[in-house]
Amino acid sequence: MQNPFGNGNNGNNGDNNEGPNGLPVPPNYATVVKEEGDIRISKVGFSYTTFLFSFLVPIFRGDWYNLLCMLGVNLGVVLGLYSIHFSSIQTFNIVTSVLQFALSFVWGYLYNLMYFRHLFNRGYKPATQRSKDLLTSSGYLPKAKK
């Protein structure tokens, strides 16, 4: 199969057919696998889906641990916000909107890291050397000690 994410006719340099049944995977995606054969493919880097849809992403991935972490942090921020006395409801609404945007931005940066780290704790390993190099260079995997 021709790799739509590769370099075309540059040999195997652009090939990363590590998806199910040898399907190509985009260059900024990593594949991790468990000994039982369970495969997970996810993006490395900023998660635009988490930025836009926040709690729906861990629900659709079945990532209940990180969903509860996100809900807990957001609940703590909201309860902290309600403990502050504001002079008007308009000020409260502005502060709430700014904090919600800031939290969405933070979750966009952190969610994929949290997702991969949780998978590693559950026994997943990088499926290929390319995935391992990508995860290590992005700081998702600790660098090997020499």
Side-chain angles (χ1 to χ4, degrees), residues 7 33 75 82 84 96 106-107 113 119-120 127 129 136 139-140:
N7 297 332
V33 66
L75 182 65
Y82 279 121
I84 300 172
T96 303
V106 167
W107 291 130
L113 173 68
L119 289 177
F120 296 146
Q129 187 62 37
T136 303
Y140 286 33

Side-chain angles (χ1 to χ4, degrees), residues 104-130:
S104 294
F105 202 71
V106 167
W107 291 130
Y109 271 106
L110 291 179
Y111 179 71
N112 284 337
L113 173 68
M114 292 170 34
Y115 179 66
F116 273 112
R117 293 266 173 102
H118 185 63
L119 289 177
F120 296 146
N121 288 338
R122 290 178 48 205
Y124 284 82
K125 304 283 183 214
T128 62
Q129 187 62 37
R130 188 197 69 81

Side-chain angles (χ1 to χ4, degrees), residues 61-80:
R61 286 185 181 180
D63 188 15
W64 308 115
Y65 175 80
N66 286 325
L67 173 68
L68 292 176
C69 290
M70 290 170 70
L71 287 173
V73 169
N74 278 17
L75 182 65
V77 169
V78 167
L79 291 176

